[in-house]
């Protein structure tokens, strides 16, 4: 069986007037099942583009993205929606919970779109909420919770559909250092439980918590390897702006 | 995601912002209420006209003989013969001779009482029933007797219920009351259906000074054959006069149909004007739904990221618009019924106790269907906008 996530020369270009922005410039990489990978980069490095493509929210301009062996670039909007629903669990920086729904209702949304019957949905949503330690707040609204608790709800929502990949986009960006550590240890626990976790961050200290780091600069991979290696933390080269603009 | 769940979600979103939802519905509410009341008023007027005409006899035709100089005329026997010849269509005939001036009882004049000379069949034709005494007989007509039958109202008001055998003065001549009619109407105003006196037509034509009969009332077997009956009589009269100006055959059904058509045109125009407000209501719904799509851009992004297909988002917004509109329609229907019954009370006090505003089920069903349809129609554009949002942009939307 091939890699779970495979980028083959993936490119994503944005056209702004006369200039072309290369948000992803021939990125190739593989992520295997059960890995805990951090994609690190400064803003503008292309890590958000990378995350959008991995998350099937966007398709590459050129190159091939295989998710679980299927070519995402050839999918239509409905198939993309389906694959997001089945294969991916998103954790966002801003939690992105729906304020009018209570926790159970928030967590069961992915199951609802999958067509799981209501009773079953409730049960599974409750289970994952208990798993993240919010079993006593099932009927609360998101705004009654602290930031850390809201992020745990969003983790529960990502988990409920048993996705192949958990995709966390700056999951600690809005949290203080204490709750950040809490959220990161949940992600590490998920990894130990056998889940594939992809963490997107600009913060080296956070990326360190992963096993493997993929560092992006100007849409290109500049480091891909063990997070314990000293090279993982070093920026490969100072961007040469003049060259880029040509 | 099932339709039921989509519906539940729509109801939650609507009840989540009650004030806004109500204001959004207002256009639909006003439109539906107006349509129901106007159509109800139309129905009421039509019923009123039908009932009024029915009391005049919608199964009868009036024949008016204008004559053609003095050379040609038509005799009473000729008319009877026409009816006998076409007995498959026509039923009975009675000459009608109205006597103006009302009646005098003692020293009191009652000008509103209608006095008519008729045949022995007339009371039967018009469904009058004898309460006491007898009706007009063939011999009364032959002998031009000064006898009459009075209505319940005349008996009650002017003879305190003991008119039988008493006398009444009509145009100076004295008439013996030989019969009292049963009450035909609940009305109590002067000049109603019971404020009548009937006498033999032969006597009447002498009393009123014309000498001959110009009017006939002819009944037919079947109301729906009014046009045929009219044709039959006209053909017979044309044979006699060879001039279509010499006579006039008036069918009550025909007049009623004509008036109903006119009324329906007026009501339709009014209802269309009211329905324009439904259209305006639809635009209001579209406007609010567009605002709602913008407000919920982030929610749409989240839902899409979690696997909602375009069709699901689309369905959610269309459903919300349709439910808003249909809810407005339902409130409008209730309000329309309430307003109709209030209007009925006012009209019956102020105008005529017979006139009622009666909303029809057709208009109710149509109003509901149209309002739900408007929701779908005007909800479509905002829903499509929502469904097509790019999930990345929607997720970043602040």
């Amino acid at each position: 069986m091939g890699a779970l996530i495979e980028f083959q020369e993936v490119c994503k270009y944005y056209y702004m007037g006369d200039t072309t922005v290369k948000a992803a410039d021939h990125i190739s990489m593989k992520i295997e099942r059960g890995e805990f990978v951090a994609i690190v980069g400064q803003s503008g490095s292309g890590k958000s583009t990378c995350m959008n493509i991995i998350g099937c929210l966007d398709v590459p301009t050129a190159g091939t993205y295989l998710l679980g062996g299927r070519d995402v670039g050839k999918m239509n909007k409905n198939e993309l929606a389906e694959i997001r629903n089945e294969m991916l669990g998103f954790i966002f920086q801003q939690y992105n919970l729906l304020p009018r729904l209570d926790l159970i209702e928030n967590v069961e949304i992915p199951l609802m779109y999958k067509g799981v019957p209501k009773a079953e949905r409730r049960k599974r949503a409750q289970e994952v909420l208990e798993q993240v330690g919010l079993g006593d707040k099932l009927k609360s609204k998101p705004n009654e919770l602290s930031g850390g608790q809201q992020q745990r709800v969003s983790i529960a929502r990502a988990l409920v559909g048993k996705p192949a990949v958990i995709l966390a986009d700056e999951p600690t960006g809005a949290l203080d250092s204490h709750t950040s550590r809490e959220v990161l240890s949940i992600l590490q626990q998920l990894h130990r439980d056998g889940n594939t976790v992809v963490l997107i961050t600009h913060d080296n200290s956070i990326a360190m918590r992963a096993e493997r780091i993929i560092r992006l600069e100007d849409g290109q991979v500049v480091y891909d390897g063990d997070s314990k290696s000293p090279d993982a933390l070093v920026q490969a080269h100072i961007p040469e702006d003049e060259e880029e603009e040509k | 995601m099932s339709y039921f769940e989509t519906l539940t979600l729509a109801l939650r979103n609507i009840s989540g912002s009650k004030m806004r939802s109500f204001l959004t519905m207002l256009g639909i509410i006003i439109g539906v209420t107006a349509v129901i009341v106007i159509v109800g008023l139309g129905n009421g007027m039509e019923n009123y006209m039908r009932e009024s005409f029915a009391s005049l006899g919608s199964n009868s035709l009036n024949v008016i003989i204008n004559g053609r100089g003095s050379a040609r005329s038509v005799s009473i026997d000729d008319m009877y013969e026409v009816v006998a010849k076409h007995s498959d269509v026509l039923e009975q005939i009675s000459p009608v001779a109205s006597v103006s001036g009302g009646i005098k009882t003692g020293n009191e004049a009652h000008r509103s009482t209608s006095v008519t000379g008729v045949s022995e069949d007339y009371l039967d034709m018009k469904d009058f029933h004898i309460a006491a005494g007898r009706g007009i007989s063939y011999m009364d007509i032959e002998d031009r007797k000064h006898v009459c039958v009075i209505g319940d109202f005349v008996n009650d008001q002017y003879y305190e219920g003991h008119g039988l055998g008493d006398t009444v003065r009509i145009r100076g001549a004295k008439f013996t009351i030989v019969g009292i009619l049963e009450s035909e109407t609940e009305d109590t105003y002067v000049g109603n259906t019971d404020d009548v006196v009937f006498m033999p037509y032969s006597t009447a034509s002498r009393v009123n000074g014309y000498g001959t009969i110009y009017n006939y009332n002819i009944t037919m077997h079947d109301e729906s054959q009014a046009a045929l009956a009219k044709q039959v009589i006209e053909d017979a009269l044309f044979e006699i006069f060879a001039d279509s100006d010499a006579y006039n055959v008036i069918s009550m059904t025909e007049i009623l149909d004509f008036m109903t058509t006119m009324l329906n045109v007026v009501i339709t125009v009014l209802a269309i004007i009211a329905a324009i407000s439904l259209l305006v209501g639809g635009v209001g719904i579209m406007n609010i739904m567009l605002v709602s799509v913008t407000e919920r851009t982030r929610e749409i992004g989240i839902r899409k990221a979690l696997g909602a297909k375009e069709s699901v988002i689309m369905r959610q917004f269309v459903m919300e618009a349709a439910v808003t509109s249909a809810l407005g329609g339902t409130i409008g229907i209730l309000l329309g019924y309430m307003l109709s019954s209030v209007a009925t009370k006012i009209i019956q006090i102020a105008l005529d106790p017979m006139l009622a505003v009666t909303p029809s089920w057709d208009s109710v069903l149509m109003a509901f269907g149209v309002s739900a349809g408007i929701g779908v129609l005007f909800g479509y554009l905002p829903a499509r906008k929502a469904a097509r949002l790019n999930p990345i942009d929607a997720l970043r939307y602040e």
Side-chain angles (χ1 to χ4, degrees):
Chain A
M1 200 150 55
L4 180 58
I5 292 171
E6 184 170 359
F7 272 37
Q8 295 168 352
E9 304 285 319
V10 164
C11 299
K12 184 72 190 182
Y13 300 148
Y14 295 103
Y15 303 96
M16 290 170 163
D18 294 337
T19 56
T20 302
V21 179
K22 295 178 174 176
D25 192 5
H26 298 279
I27 296 178
S28 294
M29 63 175 180
K30 279 183 184 178
I31 297 173
E32 302 292 338
R33 279 178 183 75
E35 274 196 280
F36 185 3
V37 181
I39 296 176
V40 199
Q42 301 304 310
S43 71
S45 62
K47 66 179 192 303
S48 291
T49 303
C50 216
M51 118 111 201
N52 287 339
I53 292 174
I54 294 174
C56 301
L57 293 165
D58 208 348
V59 288
T61 313
T64 310
Y65 167 37
L66 300 173
L67 176 59
R70 290 158 73 191
D71 189 347
V72 173
K74 292 204 172 73
M75 291 183 180
N76 65 28
K77 284 181 181 176
N78 269 344
E79 289 169 326
L80 285 174
E82 261 170 38
I83 205 163
R84 282 198 295 269
N85 186 255
E86 285 165 16
M87 300 278 287
L88 294 151
F90 288 92
I91 301 168
F92 300 99
Q93 180 176 4
Q94 294 298 334
Y95 328 129
N96 280 343
L97 302 173
L98 298 184
R100 270 187 293 199
L101 306 182
D102 65 33
L103 300 194
I104 286 239
E105 288 166 330
N106 261 294
V107 171
E108 71 178 358
I109 293 174
L111 299 180
M112 194 165 74
Y113 292 130
K114 198 179 269 182
V116 177
K118 189 162 182 164
E120 163 95 32
R121 242 158 51 196
R122 297 256 128 164
K123 195 171 133 257
R124 279 168 67 179
Q126 194 173 339
E127 279 166 14
V128 284
L129 277 167
E130 278 161 5
Q131 196 183 329
V132 297
L134 290 168
D136 55 337
K137 292 202 161 56
L138 301 177
K139 290 286 165 190
S140 307
K141 294 283 164 69
N143 60 11
E144 295 161 10
L145 304 182
S146 71
Q149 287 172 322
Q150 291 192 49
Q151 194 57 297
R152 281 192 272 156
V153 177
S154 129
I155 292 171
R157 186 178 61 188
L159 283 176
V160 75
K162 299 194 170 71
V165 183
I166 289 168
L167 195 55
D169 181 20
E170 301 275 10
T172 59
L175 301 175
D176 61 53
S177 56
H178 175 71
T179 38
S180 291
R181 276 196 295 279
E182 220 175 85
V183 165
L184 284 171
S185 45
I186 295 177
L187 290 179
Q188 283 177 317
Q189 183 58 46
L190 291 176
H191 164 57
R192 280 195 292 275
D193 294 345
N195 290 292
T196 312
V197 180
V198 177
L199 172 69
I200 284 113
T201 182
H202 70 280
D203 190 335
N204 277 330
S205 64
I206 305 240
M208 289 289 287
R209 307 291 286 262
E211 285 179 324
R212 174 181 160 199
I213 284 179
I214 297 172
R215 180 174 293 279
L216 294 178
E217 269 173 32
D218 300 321
Q220 290 175 321
V221 177
V222 293
Y223 176 84
D224 185 351
D226 194 332
S227 64
K228 304 295 180 289
S229 155
D231 289 345
L233 304 180
V234 184
Q235 230 167 305
H237 62 279
I238 306 300
E240 291 167 51
D241 292 337
E242 306 91 80
E243 245 177 68
E244 281 300 311
E245 273 168 30
K246 282 171 200 170
Chain B
M1 202 173 167
S2 70
Y3 280 94
F4 179 73
E5 277 168 338
T6 316
L7 179 68
T8 319
L9 194 62
L11 284 171
R12 272 179 78 157
N13 280 326
I14 290 165
S15 63
S17 42
K18 289 191 183 65
M19 189 64 183
R20 176 202 273 197
S21 302
F22 174 72
L23 290 174
T24 310
M25 289 172 199
L26 205 55
I28 300 289
I29 293 175
I30 293 172
V32 168
T33 307
V35 168
I36 286 183
V37 171
I38 288 170
V39 173
L41 194 63
N43 285 337
M45 282 168 77
E46 195 179 324
N47 290 343
Y48 176 68
M49 275 175 14
R50 284 203 182 278
E51 275 168 39
S52 311
F53 271 73
S55 70
L56 288 175
S58 55
N59 68 332
S60 68
L61 300 164
N62 281 335
V63 180
I64 302 163
I65 307 294
N66 305 318
R68 193 162 166 261
S70 55
R72 286 201 194 185
S73 188
V74 60
S75 72
I76 294 167
D77 289 344
D78 290 340
M79 289 303 293
Y80 268 90
E81 211 170 286
V82 168
V83 173
K85 206 169 140 192
H86 300 285
S87 60
D88 52 330
V89 183
L90 305 175
E91 195 175 16
Q92 285 176 299
I93 179 168
S94 168
V96 176
S98 61
V99 178
S100 59
I103 59 170
K104 245 180 168 179
T105 57
N107 288 323
E108 277 178 84
H110 309 290
R111 300 195 61 88
S112 62
T113 306
S114 97
V115 181
T116 319
V118 297
S119 76
E120 69 277 15
D121 296 325
Y122 188 81
L123 295 178
D124 183 36
M125 285 163 65
K126 295 291 168 187
D127 240 9
F128 279 107
H129 301 283
I130 304 291
R134 61 175 180 88
I136 308 287
S137 75
Y138 181 69
M139 288 310 293
D140 295 335
I141 295 162
E142 280 290 288
D143 299 345
R144 292 193 168 130
K145 281 192 182 147
H146 278 54
V147 294
C148 66
V149 174
I150 62 171
D152 180 68
F153 182 84
V154 178
N155 186 36
D156 242 34
Q157 298 289 307
Y158 311 140
Y159 295 96
E160 279 142 9
H162 307 294
L164 193 63
D166 212 331
T167 57
V168 58
R169 294 188 79 83
I170 297 163
R171 288 182 81 112
K174 205 184 202 175
F175 285 76
T176 307
I177 298 169
V178 296
I180 313 281
L181 296 172
E182 274 177 19
S183 177
E184 288 287 311
T185 167
E186 305 279 297
D187 297 346
T188 51
Y189 55 89
V190 293
N192 70 41
T193 325
D194 289 336
D195 191 5
V196 290
V197 172
F198 295 111
M199 64 171 77
Y201 66 83
S202 54
T203 321
S205 75
R206 183 178 285 175
V207 171
N208 69 15
Y210 298 150
T212 45
I213 296 293
Y214 295 101
N215 287 318
Y216 295 89
N217 199 284
I218 300 172
T219 55
M220 56 200 132
H221 295 294
D222 186 352
E223 217 174 295
S224 62
Q225 288 187 312
L228 176 64
K230 186 179 176 203
Q231 193 59 49
V232 163
I233 297 166
E234 276 176 341
D235 288 350
L237 288 171
F238 190 80
E239 260 177 54
I240 297 164
F241 290 106
D243 178 359
S244 58
D245 289 337
Y247 52 85
N248 243 328
V249 181
I250 300 162
S251 147
M252 287 298 169
T253 316
E254 212 173 56
I255 294 174
L256 181 61
D257 285 348
F258 178 69
M259 284 175 70
T260 308
T261 310
M262 294 285 285
L263 184 67
N264 282 341
V265 169
V266 173
I267 292 296
T268 307
V269 169
L270 285 175
I272 287 171
I273 292 169
I276 289 174
S277 125
L278 281 179
L279 204 70
V280 175
V283 175
I285 287 177
M286 179 158 67
N287 192 16
I288 291 296
M289 290 308 291
L290 282 171
V291 171
S292 175
V293 169
T294 310
E295 278 178 355
R296 283 151 66 185
T297 298
R298 205 181 168 86
E299 177 190 329
I300 294 161
I302 296 167
R303 287 184 182 278
K304 287 194 134 186
L306 298 179
K309 292 178 186 168
E310 285 193 359
S311 58
V312 172
I313 301 284
M314 176 103 188
R315 201 197 298 162
Q316 184 186 332
F317 277 85
V318 168
M319 183 73 96
E320 202 171 314
V323 169
T324 304
S325 191
L327 223 58
T330 310
I331 296 174
I333 288 167
L334 295 178
L335 215 61
Y337 264 94
M338 270 160 55
L339 212 62
S340 294
S341 69
V342 170
T344 302
K345 291 221 168 70
I346 293 172
I347 288 172
Q348 290 187 338
I349 291 165
L351 293 171
D352 191 318
M354 293 280 286
L355 195 53
V357 182
T358 43
S360 69
W361 278 106
D362 294 4
S363 72
V364 167
L365 284 178
M366 212 172 76
F368 185 82
V370 165
S371 55
I374 278 176
V376 173
L377 192 72
F378 287 93
Y380 179 78
L381 187 75
R384 201 182 56 171
K385 191 182 162 195
R388 290 194 179 167
L389 281 177
N390 181 349
I392 302 169
D393 298 338
L395 274 172
R396 294 235 181 80
Y397 189 85
E398 291 300 326

